[in-house]
Every structure is written in C-alpha cells, then in structure tokens.
Amino acid sequence: MASAGKDPHSNISAKGLSGEGYEGHYFWDTEIYMLPLFTLSSPAIAKNLLRFRYEILGASRDRAREMGHKIGAKIPWRTISGRECSGFFPAGSAQYHINADVAYAYIQYFLFTADIDMMLEFGYEVIYETARLWIDMGHFNEDDAFMINAVTGPDEYTAIVNNNYYTNVLAAYHLKWAYDLAEKLATAYPDKWERIKEKIHIMADELAIMKKASEQMYLPFDKALGINLQDDGFKNKAEWDFAGTPKNHHPLLLHYHPLTIYRYKVLKQADTVLAYLLLDNESDEVIETSYTYYERLTTHDSSLSPCVYGMMASRINQTEKAYNYFMQTIRLDLDNLHDNTKDGLHIANAGGAYMSIIYGFGGLRIKSDGLHLKPTKPAEWETIRFRLKYKDSLVTVTIGEQLTIETEKPINFIIDGSPIQVDGTIHMVYHGKH
Ligand code: IFM
C-alpha cells in the first residue's frame, strides 16, 4: 500500500520503497502479484496502476519497432519511464508474456469492477496494441496451429524456447478478449468505438486473425506424461542433479553460467503451474499431474514462486502443503530466507501472501460468469475471514466450521463448482474443510 504509485506516472517497483534492489524498476510483478490486492480492495489505486501502462504505451510502441515488429506495442520487461531497462535479453526482453500479463490484469479488473469507462478511456487501446504483437511475432504452421517461437516464459532458468505453454495460453486468452471486447464495445458504445477504432486503426481482418489465432493456439501437451510441457524442447533436456547440488549453491544463477542452467530441466519459478492458477483452464487430472511433475524440478530461487505452488496446492486439495508454502511466503523477509532482504523487501511475494489467503485458501477465481470460490482451511486455523469490494459493493467471506457469505446486493457465485446467487447472508457446508 505504501509503495504503490498514486499518480499515473509511478507504479510499484520490485522492492517497493523499501530498498534499492532492481534499481526501482517495475516488472510484471505489479500486474500478476500485486494488483489483485488493489483490484479486490482499493479499485481506485488499481485503476491508477493500470493506467501507468497506458502512459508508457508510446514508448512500448517504439520498443516494438526497435525489436523489428511492424505493428503493436511491446511492454518493456523492466522500466521506470517506459524505456526497456533490461540488460540481459534472454531473461529480459524475451519475456514477451508481459504483454499478456498486463492484458490479464486489465481484464481481471474489468470483470471485478465492471468499470467499462476504464476500457473505453484507455484499457481497450492497451489490450489491442499489445495483442497485435502476437499476430506479428507468431505464425500458423503447416497444420494451421498458431505458434509463438523464441520467447522466455516466467521461468528464467529456461530461456529462448518455442511455444512456452504459459505464454501461448495467456496469449490465446489475451487475443480472445481483444476480439470479444471489440464486438461488445462496437455494439454497446458505437460512437466511442468509432473513435478508438480510428485512433489505433483497428481493421476487421486483423480482428478475424486474432480470433483464429486464439482458437488455434498451439499448447504443448505430452500424452505419455499427461502434462502440459513447459515448451517444445523441455522434455528433451538433461536432468539436473538436485541431490548433488550443495545447499550453498543456491540460487543457481549465482553459481552456474546461464547456459549451463538452460541445458537442464530445472525451474527457477512457477511457470506452467502459474498459468493454471490464472486461467483455471485444464482438467483436475492434468493440473495435478503437471503440478507433481514441475514441483520436483522447481528450485524456488525466485521469490515469486512459493506462493504460486502454495495456492495451487490448495487447488489440488493438498492443504497441509499449501500451509507450508504459505508459511515460507510470509516468513521470506522476516527471516531473510533469500539472504538479500538488505536490498529491499520482496513485494511480489508480499502480494502473493495476500493472494495465498484469497485465491489459495479461499479458492477465488474471477470469471465472466461470476465469482468462483472453492474454500479449503488449514487445520492450524479456526477461521479465515476476508472482504472484497465487488462491483462497488462489499462482500464478506468467512471460512470456518461453515462457509458464510454476506453481500449487500444479489451476486452470482460458483461455490465448489455449483452456481448460487447470494442476496444477504448464506451459510453452507464446503468440501475443503479440515
Ligand atoms: O520479475 C521478477 C522475475 O520473475 C524473477 N526475477 C526477479 C524479477 C523482479 O522481481
């Protein structure tokens, strides 16, 4: 809260205002790990943080041209004023997923607040310009599947790959929203739509390609393992010798050359598992099998990782494991677990601690059909209680012996998969009780 920029020119740096680590730069940390707190509880601050990406849209267009893209905008991997400040492109500019991360945060904010003015004023422009880049950099292969090559996903120990699952699945979501919102805005706000369309030269055939690319996005899946592969080449990499790696050789990036690390099946942080958290798009079986596969390979050398594995442990009903990851998350800076708290607090991890309660134990997912909840409660706790400001009205969720939801007006929930409208107060049993 203290570190969040309160004007459209400032944002939240990786260390907030607590230290000089990462030189005060803003990353995707804001959209994926920090914005949920603001979107769910202080939408005015959230809107301002979103607006920042609009303020730097011109610089992002320039960056796209500099990188050889004919059209669209490329959000810088790390920046303050809008210019790309990353000095190491394999784990920097190659992280194209930031374009979809920003769009994802805009869409989550919109679904939660119903703030259509944000979309009309600046949101759609950012979503469309960043979506254009996928069309410019991707292509339909011989089987007409849309491929996105030469990118780095969230896991910075696996660089410059073809078809990173996280990137592709978020790009598909991003493109679908760019297309669907165009239809919605053109019908409901024809005058304002005409202005947006003219301003950024939106073309009907471009929208049609976006729709096709979204529907035909290639998502790596390995039938034998029953998992989504992190990318096309992941399975063929060598096994990292975890047992033979001394404890004091972590984080690996400080002890091994990047090229050594890139040759192995070893993850710095959640990648495919993070996509499941954001999109909740695969079957329970695939999610659980993938989780087990990737957890074994993940070092959590990035502080952005334990909270994600914790939230997804709740999702697959491993509540004790979720609780252990939660404790790691909240103790990270209190106990200096990464031995670098002197450089500043890990603010994405702090956002992740908040998310661990709401998205992890509460099981919240914000979707077009309403608010999904799938509560699980660690045995160590008696009650979890949190409040959200959904479409301008207060929602109170209490997870104890029973699940209690209080609302100020009728709201559609999907609890443990079953739709229910709450208008006032309801008490009900829930499945994840321990
Ligand atoms: O954005 C993160 C990245 O995912 C992992 N390294 C640190 C960055 C800043 O927190």
Side-chain angles (χ1 to χ4, degrees):
M1 280 287 185
S3 292
K6 309 292 187 309
D7 64 53
H9 312 291
S10 46
N11 204 269
I12 311 178
S13 65
K15 303 291 186 187
L17 298 176
S18 70
E20 294 177 6
Y22 292 118
E23 292 82 31
H25 290 154
Y26 313 138
F27 293 77
W28 70 310
D29 304 30
T30 299
E31 280 78 13
I32 298 300
Y33 291 84
M34 301 167 187
L35 257 157
L37 165 72
F38 299 102
T39 297
L40 302 183
S41 66
S42 313
I45 300 179
K47 189 171 184 172
N48 194 55
L49 293 168
L50 294 173
R51 195 189 293 271
F52 169 78
R53 298 296 184 183
Y54 180 65
E55 294 293 313
I56 62 158
L57 194 57
S60 305
R61 286 188 186 104
D62 294 346
R63 177 62 180 157
R65 296 301 92 73
E66 196 177 11
M67 291 178 77
H69 301 295
K70 295 179 285 303
I71 198 157
K74 165 74 173 67
I75 310 253
W77 176 243
R78 50 192 288 174
T79 192
I80 296 177
S81 66
R83 283 173 57 192
E84 178 61 87
C85 297
S86 157
F88 181 61
F89 77 86
S93 309
Q95 295 201 47
Y96 276 79
H97 65 85
I98 193 169
N99 269 30
D101 302 328
V102 168
Y104 178 83
Y106 274 71
I107 295 156
Q108 288 282 295
Y109 168 87
F110 173 63
L111 286 173
F112 198 76
T113 60
D115 182 357
I116 191 74
D117 290 344
M118 180 281 287
M119 278 296 170
L120 292 163
E121 214 187 301
F122 63 89
Y124 188 74
E125 197 174 325
V126 173
I127 291 176
Y128 194 82
E129 284 286 69
T130 48
R132 271 180 157 152
L133 208 73
W134 301 123
I135 303 303
D136 184 84
M137 67 179 291
H139 72 283
F140 291 95
N141 73 359
E142 289 175 5
D143 300 323
D144 226 13
F146 196 76
M147 321 288 278
I148 301 178
N149 292 338
V151 298
T152 298
D155 164 29
E156 296 179 338
Y157 284 175
T158 311
I160 322 278
V161 298
N162 293 341
N163 295 307
N164 166 249
Y165 173 82
Y166 177 96
T167 305
N168 285 22
V169 79
L170 264 103
Y173 180 84
H174 183 181
L175 289 162
K176 179 174 169 14
W177 272 90
Y179 176 83
D180 286 352
L181 271 173
E183 277 198 336
K184 199 180 259 177
L185 298 181
T187 316
Y189 306 93
D191 296 345
K192 290 182 174 157
W193 171 248
E194 276 312 309
R195 253 176 276 145
I196 298 174
K197 205 172 131 188
E198 246 174 61
K199 183 175 175 203
I200 54 175
H201 312 292
I202 296 175
M203 294 159 290
D205 56 344
E206 199 184 13
L207 279 167
I209 295 177
M210 285 187 182
K211 183 168 188 280
K212 183 177 166 193
S214 157
E215 289 168 354
Q216 292 173 206
M217 184 67 70
Y218 168 76
L219 300 176
F221 184 79
D222 187 89
K223 276 201 185 132
L225 294 173
I227 64 165
N228 290 109
L229 284 178
Q230 189 169 305
D231 59 74
D232 281 353
F234 192 81
K235 200 178 168 186
N236 293 326
K237 292 193 170 191
E239 293 283 334
W240 182 268
D241 179 13
F242 288 98
T245 308
K247 241 186 157 195
N248 63 4
H249 277 38
H250 284 275
L252 301 183
L253 68 109
L254 296 185
H255 300 274
Y256 302 88
H257 192 280
L259 289 173
T260 302
I261 297 174
Y262 297 164
R263 292 192 183 103
Y264 291 89
K265 279 185 201 146
V266 57
L267 277 66
K268 184 180 182 191
Q269 63 206 93
D271 196 294
T272 307
V273 171
L274 175 57
Y276 298 154
L277 172 70
L278 301 183
L279 298 178
D280 201 22
N281 59 324
E282 301 282 353
S283 70
D284 289 357
E285 199 185 339
V286 169
I287 291 179
E288 191 166 348
T289 316
S290 296
Y291 183 99
T292 310
Y293 180 87
Y294 289 112
E295 189 191 25
R296 188 179 64 81
L297 305 176
T298 305
T299 56
H300 304 295
D301 282 351
S302 161
S303 66
L304 278 65
S305 193
C307 63
V308 176
Y309 275 91
M311 287 183 261
M312 289 308 289
S314 296
R315 169 71 176 78
I316 58 172
N317 300 313
Q318 297 194 20
T319 312
E320 209 180 315
K321 180 176 277 196
Y323 184 73
N324 290 338
Y325 274 121
F326 174 76
M327 290 311 286
Q328 262 184 59
T329 303
I330 57 165
R331 304 248 27 129
L332 184 94
D333 283 316
L334 294 172
D335 295 342
N336 191 19
L337 295 180
H338 280 211
D339 201 22
N340 61 5
T341 299
K342 65 174 172 25
D343 299 327
L345 303 174
H346 299 77
I347 305 293
N349 172 76
Y354 170 82
M355 290 176 75
S356 299
I357 296 173
I358 318 283
Y359 293 75
F361 300 126
L364 177 78
R365 301 291 183 274
I366 305 162
K367 300 189 188 178
S368 302
D369 57 355
L371 295 183
H372 290 237
L373 288 174
K374 192 173 180 284
T376 53
K377 187 174 72 62
E380 287 80 356
W381 292 351
E382 262 174 39
T383 310
I384 305 172
R385 189 158 194 256
F386 56 83
R387 287 192 161 133
L388 313 169
K389 201 172 177 196
Y390 182 61
K391 295 184 182 171
D392 251 346
S393 92
L394 201 63
V395 174
T396 308
V397 177
T398 309
I399 307 164
E401 271 306 301
Q402 287 185 315
L403 168 67
T404 303
I405 303 178
E406 297 157 74
T407 67
E408 294 177 334
K409 62 180 187 194
I411 293 178
N412 292 332
F413 286 89
I414 296 90
I415 314 274
D416 283 330
S418 308
I420 178 167
Q421 194 184 69
V422 183
D423 186 6
T425 303
I426 59 149
H427 305 281
M428 57 194 293
V429 286
Y430 62 99
H431 296 305
K433 194 158 86 72
H434 288 265

